[in-house]
Amino acid sequence: MSDFSIHTTDTAPSGSQPMLAGAKQKFGFVPNLLGIMAEAPATLEAYLNLGDVLAKTSFTPVEQQVITLAVSSYHECEYCMAAHSGLAKMAGISDADLEALRAESTLPDPKLDALAQFSQAVVVHRGHAPQEAVTAFLAAGFTKAQILEVLVGVAMKTISNYTNHLADTPLDAQFQPLAWTAPIKLDQAG
């Protein structure tokens, strides 16, 4: 792991300062992830822009969070699992579906489960999702356009998940109540 600084609006490179100020206004604080990304203004901008684009897709806010959680779970990103669990709750996901995502089990909502499974299939197979995954996704009521829209969430979460892995981003106090431990770590501890 590299030793990254967690920038504030005062310490960040000038290109990142306005974006961190916007995040602080939106969230009430600057999440550690964004403070680390601020080291590279282009990376921070790409991540934030992809988040804005994901919000413009045809997916509901809950569906958007299912994508981000499914990808983050596969990547074993503890930071993003905690943060997006909170965002999923704010979007209105059911407790049962959220717990299933966090436990890496089948979601009670079949359509959301199909979305989670397809999102992970895209990542696992590096874009070569098996035909069965595509067929199940479409059969659940999603569209061909949404196959491509899933890629926005995959790209967004890949940037943040990999940033967190490289920087070993500490979890913000605000996300501590939803802390998540990757199953591989649980297996190693047991």
Side-chain angles (χ1 to χ4, degrees):
M1 309 290 168
S2 298
D3 185 25
F4 285 90
S5 298
I6 301 173
H7 288 286
T8 66
T9 54
D10 296 327
T11 65
S14 61
S16 292
Q17 289 177 354
M19 292 180 280
L20 290 186
K24 186 173 184 176
Q25 183 177 2
K26 181 178 180 178
F27 300 116
F29 70 104
V30 174
N32 289 338
L33 169 64
L34 302 184
I36 287 171
M37 283 184 175
E39 184 72 28
T43 302
L44 178 59
E45 182 178 6
Y47 178 71
L48 293 173
N49 284 346
L50 282 170
D52 291 343
V53 172
L54 182 60
K56 293 177 186 176
T57 65
S58 60
F59 292 115
T60 67
V62 167
E63 291 168 341
Q64 292 166 32
Q65 294 307 316
V66 168
I67 295 166
T68 62
L69 286 162
V71 173
S72 296
S73 174
Y74 181 77
H75 285 153
E76 299 178 342
C77 184
E78 295 176 351
Y79 184 96
C80 285
M81 285 299 292
H84 282 277
S85 290
L87 293 172
K89 283 173 119 6
M90 289 170 48
I93 195 169
S94 74
D95 289 341
D97 285 321
L98 179 58
E99 285 311 309
L101 279 163
R102 290 170 57 90
E104 298 182 337
S105 61
T106 303
L107 281 68
D109 181 314
K111 187 172 184 180
L112 293 181
D113 188 62
L115 176 58
Q117 295 303 319
F118 180 74
S119 299
Q120 284 194 345
V122 168
V123 176
V124 169
H125 298 284
R126 297 183 305 247
H128 298 282
Q131 186 58 48
E132 306 84 61
V134 173
T135 300
F137 182 73
L138 295 173
F142 293 106
T143 66
K144 288 182 182 176
Q146 289 174 312
I147 289 171
L148 300 175
E149 289 178 341
V150 164
L151 300 179
V152 176
V154 169
M156 176 190 156
K157 284 293 92 189
T158 300
I159 291 171
S160 63
N161 295 167
Y162 288 11
T163 296
N164 289 322
H165 293 328
L166 290 167
D168 198 21
T169 308
L171 192 60
D172 305 82
Q174 293 87 337
F175 304 140
Q176 285 294 334
L178 294 167
W180 179 83
T181 302
I184 192 166
K185 287 187 179 176
L186 288 174
D187 290 344
Q188 291 170 350

